Amino acid sequence: MNRRRALLMAAGLIASPVVLSGCGGGGGTGDTDTLRVWFPGNLAEEMAWVNDKLVPAFKAESGVDVQVEFVDWAKLPTRLSTAFAGGTAPDIFGHGNAAAAGYAANNRVIPLDDYLAKMPAADRDDLTFLDQGKVDGKQIIMPLRGFGHLLTYRTDQFTAAGLDPKTPPATWQDLRSAAERLVERKGSAITRSGVIVPADNPTSMSQAFGSFLFQAGGAFVDDSGATIAWNSAQGKRALHFLVDLYNGPTAVATGLGEATSGAGAQHPLVTGRAAMAVTDEATLKSIWEQAPEVAAKIAVAPPLRDTTVASFGGAGNGLFISADSRRKDQAWQFIQFLLKPENAKAYVQAVGGIPARASLATDPDLADKPYIKPYMDAAKTFRGNPNLEKWTQIRDALAAEIEGALRGKAPADEALDRSATKAAELLKQN
């Protein structure tokens, strides 16, 4: 997640919560007259919409007082652990989908199936990413938006290199060929990458690997979820392809570790340091907001394929109801209110991403956004992390080895086999 991603991992904690009438607790302890909600991140647009629009409208409709706090992504796990241990957990808290299995296994959250069963069938069926919020067949998290990684490229640089900007790469072979035409060098140094993938940190590198793993027909784990599968022949083919982009005399990419997520005007596509980039929708939104004149020259390609058309993505952040909450019914009211079509639309307009409702795919306001529509169109091809209790630790075992391979410190095959051995031990504890 990946995203990844407040949309971005921001750097501060909002010191004081916004209280809209009422005060006190509502979770495990304290005043039960106020519904307490924690949202992850501190994205300004999200904060403004939630505090100024969503919560007052919910209060007017339901009469429920709400206290909202935005918690930095990096501090969220620790804050939640402390709150659960002290009996002060919020009634509702947001997190990434990857956390669902862990919170469910530790009985920190409640299944939402009984609440969902009371929704009209047509309303329930309209929720795009519902299945990705399930753990062992139970609905644990309500996804608020989706995300995805797609290839973006500079149309002007395509034209200058003799490539047709209306015919972007569709296969790995196309991608490699175009990158070789687009890369620029000064001596042995690459001054403009032909293509880059998300590589801010080990986690983003593992997500980039995920896209190519899926496109090769591979998977992180087998269908049972009991066996690591990323070190398959498909996985090794995928990692070799990525490693060859960044390493050796025929490398076409540079900049491993450079911040690109949400980089806006500093993104290599904008500054000219890259001609193509695998980009998530939130990052493309930041480019449009900060450098619209260059963004108009950036196009988005459909998902790539090797043997399979796919890319990393799916359900992004969502909301849980705490098992300690004394206001579970009101908590569900809040979640259901946020997922009303008009609010689901306003949410992605504020934060970016793919709306949580399929019916919004044809909404003219969203279809008009070049950083939303291509991702909505590709949503059915996105695949994400498996919902496993120890997935974040398992992912970290993979991510460290992916980084080593991309930096040329370890052969690709060895890196995947070594990470699979470490992950298998964690999987046994699942």
Side-chain angles (χ1 to χ4, degrees):
M1 133 133 248
N2 232 202
R3 43 266 226 134
R4 232 143 140 266
R5 302 159 167 274
L7 304 171
L8 318 170
M9 298 279 290
L13 176 66
I14 301 305
S16 59
V18 175
V19 183
L20 295 146
S21 69
C23 59
T29 62
D31 180 6
T32 57
D33 288 339
T34 301
L35 188 72
R36 295 174 59 228
V37 183
W38 285 7
F39 280 92
N42 57 8
L43 188 68
E45 296 89 341
E46 181 180 15
M47 292 169 60
W49 180 75
V50 168
N51 292 331
D52 300 340
K53 303 290 187 182
L54 179 72
V55 172
F58 176 69
K59 169 74 183 297
E61 178 176 290
S62 67
V64 176
D65 292 336
V66 180
Q67 181 191 72
V68 173
E69 183 173 353
F70 288 84
V71 182
D72 174 56
W73 276 99
K75 298 177 181 178
L76 184 60
T78 300
R79 286 285 308 275
L80 284 168
S81 294
T82 301
F84 279 120
T88 59
D91 300 283
I92 302 170
F93 64 92
H95 213 301
N97 223 46
Y103 285 118
N106 289 286
N107 299 314
R108 295 303 194 190
V109 296
I110 64 168
L112 304 172
D113 303 83
D114 289 345
Y115 288 116
L116 278 168
K118 297 175 184 177
M119 291 178 68
D123 198 27
R124 187 172 58 246
D125 292 344
D126 193 39
L127 295 172
T128 314
F129 300 104
L130 208 55
D131 286 348
Q132 295 185 33
K134 292 181 178 179
V135 177
D136 295 331
K138 296 180 179 180
Q139 194 73 42
I140 298 299
I141 184 174
M142 287 299 295
L144 298 182
R145 56 178 290 277
F147 75 98
H149 290 186
L150 292 174
L151 180 69
T152 57
Y153 59 97
R154 286 280 296 266
T155 56
D156 56 333
Q157 292 173 1
F158 259 54
T159 300
L163 298 168
D164 183 359
K166 295 182 179 179
T167 309
T171 68
W172 290 5
Q173 293 74 20
D174 296 341
L175 180 65
R176 178 76 204 196
S177 176
E180 289 172 352
R181 298 267 298 267
L182 291 161
V183 66
E184 292 184 350
R185 296 181 174 87
K186 185 174 183 179
S188 60
I190 293 174
T191 56
R192 183 179 77 186
S193 295
V195 62
I196 59 173
V197 300
D200 300 58
N201 51 55
T203 298
S204 66
M205 293 178 195
S206 71
Q207 292 172 344
F209 167 69
S211 286
F212 289 84
L213 171 67
F214 300 148
Q215 290 160 12
F220 285 119
V221 296
D222 69 359
D223 290 342
S224 71
T227 303
I228 298 298
W230 65 59
N231 61 330
S232 62
Q234 295 93 332
K236 291 176 179 177
R237 175 173 165 75
L239 187 54
H240 274 288
F241 184 83
L242 287 175
V243 167
D244 289 346
L245 294 179
Y246 283 90
N247 294 274
T250 60
V252 293
T254 189
L256 288 171
E258 178 180 359
T260 56
S261 296
Q266 298 307 309
H267 193 280
L269 279 179
V270 178
T271 63
R273 298 193 310 280
M276 297 187 290
V278 176
T279 307
D280 65 88
E281 80 300 328
T283 295
L284 187 57
K285 180 176 184 285
S286 73
I287 292 173
W288 272 97
E289 291 171 342
Q290 297 178 29
E293 69 290 342
V294 179
K297 303 174 185 177
I298 295 174
V300 184
L304 293 165
R305 74 173 187 276
D306 180 35
T307 64
T308 305
V309 175
S311 200
F312 188 84
N317 55 299
L319 294 178
F320 297 92
I321 295 179
S322 169
D324 293 345
S325 173
R326 298 173 184 171
R327 306 201 75 189
K328 295 181 177 67
D329 289 349
Q330 290 86 352
W332 174 251
Q333 273 186 279
F334 182 84
I335 293 173
Q336 193 170 11
F337 184 79
L338 199 159
L339 287 171
K340 280 187 172 185
E342 62 271 24
N343 291 329
K345 172 184 174 178
Y347 184 70
V348 295
Q349 286 178 311
V351 305
I354 305 166
R357 287 187 171 273
S359 58
L360 291 173
T362 57
D363 183 276
D365 294 328
L366 298 183
D368 187 50
K369 300 296 184 185
Y371 51 83
I372 293 180
K373 187 179 188 306
Y375 295 89
M376 289 196 297
D377 292 345
K380 291 182 179 179
T381 69
F382 290 146
R383 295 172 57 187
N385 299 316
N387 282 340
L388 300 172
E389 178 187 347
K390 292 187 178 295
W391 174 248
T392 54
Q393 296 101 305
I394 291 170
R395 179 201 62 200
D396 290 348
L398 170 63
E401 295 293 345
I402 294 292
E403 181 180 27
L406 288 177
R407 293 188 181 281
K409 296 179 180 179
D413 290 4
E414 291 181 15
L416 288 181
D417 287 339
R418 188 163 46 246
S419 64
T421 298
K422 295 175 183 176
E425 291 301 315
L426 290 165
L427 201 55
K428 288 179 183 178
Q429 304 168 24
N430 216 36

